[in-house]
Amino acid sequence: MEIKKQKWGILSDGTKVHLYTISNGNMSFSCTDYGCTITSIVLNGKDGKKTDVVLGYSTFDGFVNGNLFFGALVGRFANRIGKASFTIGKTEYKLDKNDGPNTLHGGYKGWHKEMWKAKTIKEKNKYGVTFKRMSPDGEQGFPGNCEVTVSYFLDDNNNLTCYYTATTDRATPINITNHAYFNLAGGGDIGEHLMQMNSTKRLEVNAKLIPTGKLLDVKGTPFDFTKEKKIGKDIEKVAPGYDHCYVTEMYNPANKQCGLPLDDSDLVEFCKVREPNTGYAMSVFTNMEGCQFYTGNFVKAIGKNGQIYKPHDAFCLETQCFPDTPNKEDFPTCILQPGQEMKAKTVYSFEV
């Protein structure tokens, strides 16, 4: 295994940005200290062909100017918070309304547009990069100084692990994920990808995609992936496409808090996706209660090597606490208290 570090770009204030590439011989991924963004995941096929299976841009400037969260780290709260506000105790906190009346992915100034301190890690059978940053009290409207660590590791078994931890000095919502857009064919419509989920329920949402608080059975509906089927089979029945939070087997109504207990046994397999033409497959393991399945319904961009990205050219699997958790008493809380440590872990396991 090897790690390569290179200068990648310079921000307008003169800050130097670096790109890190980690390879195990069968696959590689690249990430940057600008926003902890995963810029590529390259699989090496048996025929010697290399396939980049995530959407993005060919240049640093593309990621700086882009607004689609390609490969982005999302925080302080991933997904939506209804009416762009929440209350802790008797204090109401107001957030950015950057998604109609709601807050999406933390607001206008996302963590994927910030610089992070980076350190390369070389351990037995595991190479990667750890990023750290202090999110100050009041950033994005959230309370508390929040110290965050993000680690991306690759091992010899083609497992790309995303590990997130956070502590705070004031009670604050915390919900961190990565927003990689996957396409196991390297491009084109993802309708022929085959997906199977270990999930029998999803969250009901209103017209603004805010959860109502109800969990709905997926069996017999267009949302049912309990048996393997093509992603495109029922997508027209949920136009403009999937953008829904599924409930993982980690969910237990008796668990009152999301993202606290964690050891290597505290992971469940959420889903497996495979592409029949390339033969590539990926499985997703997580300790989070929810996973947002999104089919790139509004993607319109010129991406890597001049590719024209269109709606349904990729899918996202964003492991997370349930959306709008700060406003839902029945959901496992996402409020991190002083003295606690949030620990979230997701593994993308590739068959190359």
Side-chain angles (χ1 to χ4, degrees):
M1 296 185 70
E2 65 176 359
I3 299 178
K4 292 182 179 180
K5 176 183 176 181
Q6 66 187 81
K7 293 180 181 178
W8 197 39
I10 301 177
L11 295 176
S12 58
D13 63 0
T15 301
K16 296 179 180 179
V17 178
H18 299 89
L19 188 70
Y20 302 83
T21 300
I22 296 90
S23 174
N24 67 3
N26 293 317
M27 64 172 287
S28 66
F29 80 96
S30 297
C31 57
T32 173
D33 45 13
Y34 177 70
C36 302
T37 300
I38 295 176
T39 61
S40 69
I41 300 175
V42 178
L43 307 183
N44 303 341
K46 293 181 179 180
D47 56 1
K49 181 181 179 181
K50 296 179 182 293
T51 303
D52 191 344
V53 297
V54 292
L55 271 57
Y57 304 100
S58 296
T59 66
F60 167 66
D61 288 343
F63 284 95
V64 171
N65 298 318
N67 61 359
L68 292 171
F69 297 93
F70 288 150
L73 176 80
V74 182
R76 184 175 300 192
F77 193 91
N79 215 313
R80 294 170 174 86
I81 294 180
K83 299 181 180 179
S85 67
F86 63 92
T87 300
I88 298 178
K90 296 182 179 180
T91 304
E92 184 181 23
Y93 296 92
K94 298 286 189 179
L95 309 174
D96 295 335
K97 294 181 179 179
N98 66 326
D99 183 51
N102 308 311
T103 300
L104 176 65
H105 295 332
Y108 290 115
K109 190 172 175 58
W111 282 1
H112 65 303
K113 300 293 186 180
E114 302 286 352
M115 283 299 298
W116 293 66
K117 294 181 180 179
K119 180 182 179 181
T120 57
I121 305 294
K122 296 181 180 180
E123 299 178 359
K124 185 179 180 180
N125 189 37
K126 186 172 69 174
Y127 279 32
V129 187
T130 291
F131 304 96
K132 290 187 177 182
R133 181 176 178 270
M134 175 66 78
S135 173
D137 180 39
E139 184 174 64
Q140 303 173 323
F142 290 95
N145 295 297
C146 193
E147 188 169 348
V148 182
T149 301
V150 176
S151 299
Y152 301 137
F153 291 107
L154 181 65
D155 65 23
D156 288 333
N157 296 316
N158 303 325
N159 296 313
L160 173 54
T161 298
C162 304
Y163 187 33
Y164 316 105
T165 68
T167 57
T168 183
D169 59 4
R170 291 178 63 190
T172 187
I174 189 76
N175 188 24
I176 305 174
T177 194
N178 184 275
H179 207 303
Y181 286 72
F182 296 98
N183 185 316
L184 298 180
D189 189 278
I190 46 94
E192 294 297 308
H193 282 59
L194 297 162
M195 171 177 277
Q196 186 268 323
M197 289 184 187
N198 297 320
S199 176
T200 61
K201 296 182 182 295
R202 67 173 180 92
L203 302 189
E204 182 182 59
V205 293
N206 63 22
K208 298 294 183 180
L209 299 180
I210 301 299
T212 65
K214 294 181 180 180
L215 276 61
L216 302 179
D217 290 328
V218 300
K219 188 174 182 179
T221 75
F223 299 94
D224 189 353
F225 286 90
T226 54
K227 295 182 179 179
E228 186 181 69
K229 73 173 182 182
K230 293 180 179 180
I231 290 177
K233 182 176 186 297
D234 295 318
I235 199 167
E236 292 184 356
K237 298 177 183 177
V238 292
Y242 295 97
D243 191 4
H244 299 81
C245 187
Y246 282 76
V247 180
T248 78
E249 292 178 324
M250 202 70 192
Y251 173 71
N252 182 340
N255 291 338
K256 300 302 181 182
Q257 189 146 9
C258 180
L260 277 185
L262 176 71
D263 59 38
D264 285 343
S265 65
D266 284 333
L267 297 178
V268 295
E269 183 175 4
F270 170 68
C271 75
K272 182 173 184 177
V273 186
R274 60 188 186 93
E275 208 288 316
N277 294 313
T278 62
Y280 294 136
M282 63 177 283
S283 299
V284 180
F285 300 82
T286 187
N287 74 316
M288 305 306 285
E289 283 90 345
C291 185
Q292 190 81 6
F293 173 45
Y294 175 55
T295 47
N297 306 326
F298 305 103
V299 169
K300 292 182 180 179
I302 298 176
K304 296 175 181 176
N305 303 313
Q307 287 189 70
I308 299 176
Y309 296 150
K310 304 181 298 299
H312 306 162
D313 275 0
F315 62 92
C316 302
L317 294 166
E318 307 158 58
T319 56
Q320 57 191 258
C321 301
F322 293 159
D324 201 34
T325 289
N327 295 313
K328 296 291 186 294
E329 292 184 358
D330 292 337
F331 288 173
T333 183
C334 65
I335 305 298
L336 185 67
Q337 301 287 345
Q340 294 179 330
E341 184 178 27
M342 186 282 298
K343 297 181 179 181
K345 187 175 183 179
T346 296
V347 178
Y348 299 105
S349 181
F350 294 91
E351 295 179 23
V352 178

